[in-house]
Amino acid sequence: MAYMKTLPLLDGVKVILIDEDQDVTRATALIAGWVHMWKEKNSNYSIDLLSFVHPKAWYDNESDPLTSTNINLHDYFSVQSTEDAKRKDLENLDNILKTFKLKPQNTVIVNCLSSLFLYVGVRRALQFVEKLSKQVSQLICIYREDFIQTKFPGIETFGTTYVKLEEYIGNKLTNKLVYNAKLIHRKPGGSVICQTEVIWQDIQSYQISAEKITVPSICKTKIEPPKIETTFRIELNAQEKEQRDKTPLPYTVSAKNTSKIFYQPEDIDDIDEEDPDDDLCF
């Protein structure tokens, strides 16, 4: 079963991290495909994009999958040259937490988490994301590997759902975006969904089609125990095994017969019951 087409609607999907490969920058296209799903479900569904990597004018270009026509854009990338950039970034994070409040249905997209690491540091960025995830219905973070040379350790454990976009090896269509998506989703009950799917998206509408990649089962051959080579035979054939099973063991007690002790007294035995210690010379 493929989940990527309607992944945000899956039970327990609270925080999604989309990890882009350097050669597969399709996170915004994937989210654009989910926008159709959200709008079909509820026309008033709130979708906000926090941009830390591009100015607002970038999204006004129709070539980008996410535009100002289908989502609410918040430009936190543009900084005036006369302002203290570091102070401005920290103030922006505090203002964001004050602006976004928990709504019945709203999704916030952070583009991208890598640039946020560079602006305010990893610790501050993770604290911000954790607080923001508690104030919105759903949070989607884009992580781009081309921003940071060293990959953030344990990034696949971030959030409830991890999606790794990888290059598709096979025939590609001219009017389709084709790539692989490795999905790891931790359900509320503790079970984990882990599978890889092929994603096809129309280059105009970004409608999603997905198919699970089935991993062929490995046929395990039965390994026979090594045969011990000796100068004599140690194996038992069927007749010998039958004889062994029928041979009574000397220490087993038959249920039909009772055991008895036969004792023959000797001449030196002292059987005088009046003074049993007479032979001890007390």
Side-chain angles (χ1 to χ4, degrees):
M1 178 180 180
Y3 296 99
M4 289 302 301
K5 183 177 181 179
T6 58
L7 179 62
L9 302 181
L10 193 63
D11 182 33
V13 176
K14 176 67 175 179
V15 180
I16 303 176
L17 177 70
I18 304 177
D19 186 358
E20 285 187 336
D21 191 80
Q22 295 184 6
D23 299 327
V24 187
T25 56
R26 304 299 186 190
T28 54
L30 178 61
I31 297 174
W34 290 339
V35 170
H36 294 284
M37 173 194 62
W38 286 319
K39 294 299 183 181
E40 291 177 359
K41 182 180 178 182
N42 186 355
S43 58
N44 296 324
Y45 196 92
S46 176
I47 306 171
D48 297 272
L49 186 144
L50 314 182
S51 178
F52 297 95
V53 67
H54 297 303
K56 186 177 183 299
W58 173 275
Y59 300 95
D60 293 335
N61 187 357
E62 294 182 356
S63 61
D64 192 270
L66 298 177
T67 63
S68 56
T69 59
N70 54 11
I71 59 175
N72 302 319
L73 290 171
H74 304 269
D75 183 5
Y76 296 104
F77 174 79
S78 302
V79 178
Q80 299 296 330
S81 58
T82 57
E83 295 178 333
D84 183 359
K86 184 176 181 180
R87 178 182 58 81
K88 182 68 175 177
D89 290 335
L90 295 177
E91 290 178 355
N92 281 341
L93 297 184
D94 295 334
N95 291 333
I96 293 172
L97 295 176
K98 295 177 182 179
T99 302
F100 290 93
K101 300 299 180 182
L102 184 61
K103 300 178 182 179
Q105 290 182 332
N106 71 320
T107 296
V108 174
I109 305 166
V110 176
N111 188 20
C112 68
L113 194 61
S114 305
S115 58
L116 196 57
F117 286 167
L118 297 177
Y119 290 160
V120 298
V122 175
R123 182 182 62 85
R124 177 78 180 185
L126 293 180
Q127 289 177 350
F128 163 74
V129 171
E130 182 181 3
K131 293 179 181 178
L132 183 61
S133 64
K134 297 178 181 179
Q135 298 181 192
V136 298
S137 301
Q138 194 171 71
L139 180 64
I140 300 177
C141 298
I142 300 175
Y143 180 81
R144 298 178 59 178
E145 295 184 1
D146 56 347
F147 271 52
I148 304 176
Q149 294 181 354
T150 304
K151 186 175 181 179
F152 185 75
I155 193 67
E156 63 276 1
T157 62
F158 181 86
T160 59
T161 309
Y162 173 78
V163 178
K164 172 66 175 178
L165 303 184
E166 299 175 338
E167 186 177 2
Y168 172 75
I169 306 300
N171 297 328
K172 298 181 181 180
L173 304 177
T174 56
N175 59 342
K176 296 284 186 179
L177 300 176
V178 186
Y179 52 93
N180 289 347
K182 181 181 178 181
L183 170 64
I184 301 176
H185 171 59
R186 289 167 285 275
K187 294 183 178 180
S191 59
V192 179
I193 297 175
C194 183
Q195 64 185 42
T196 303
E197 302 179 15
V198 182
I199 307 296
W200 294 275
Q201 287 188 265
D202 185 83
I203 59 176
Q204 298 295 333
S205 63
Y206 296 102
Q207 293 285 353
I208 300 175
S209 298
E211 181 180 347
K212 179 182 176 181
I213 298 178
T214 57
V215 180
S217 59
I218 301 175
C219 182
K220 296 183 179 180
T221 58
K222 186 178 180 180
I223 301 176
E224 297 291 340
K227 186 176 181 180
I228 302 175
E229 297 182 358
T230 61
T231 57
F232 53 90
R233 185 173 61 88
I234 61 175
E235 297 87 1
L236 298 178
N237 55 33
Q239 182 180 1
E240 291 172 339
K241 290 181 180 179
E242 183 180 359
Q243 292 176 351
R244 181 194 60 183
D245 296 337
K246 292 182 178 180
T247 302
L249 299 177
Y251 52 81
T252 58
V253 179
S254 176
K256 298 180 180 179
N257 302 324
T258 58
S259 59
K260 296 181 180 180
I261 299 176
F262 296 94
Y263 177 71
Q264 181 68 31
E266 298 181 1
D267 296 339
I268 61 174
D269 291 339
D270 186 4
I271 57 175
D272 186 5
E273 297 181 357
E274 294 182 359
D275 188 6
D277 298 330
D278 184 40
D279 57 339
L280 298 180
C281 301
F282 287 158

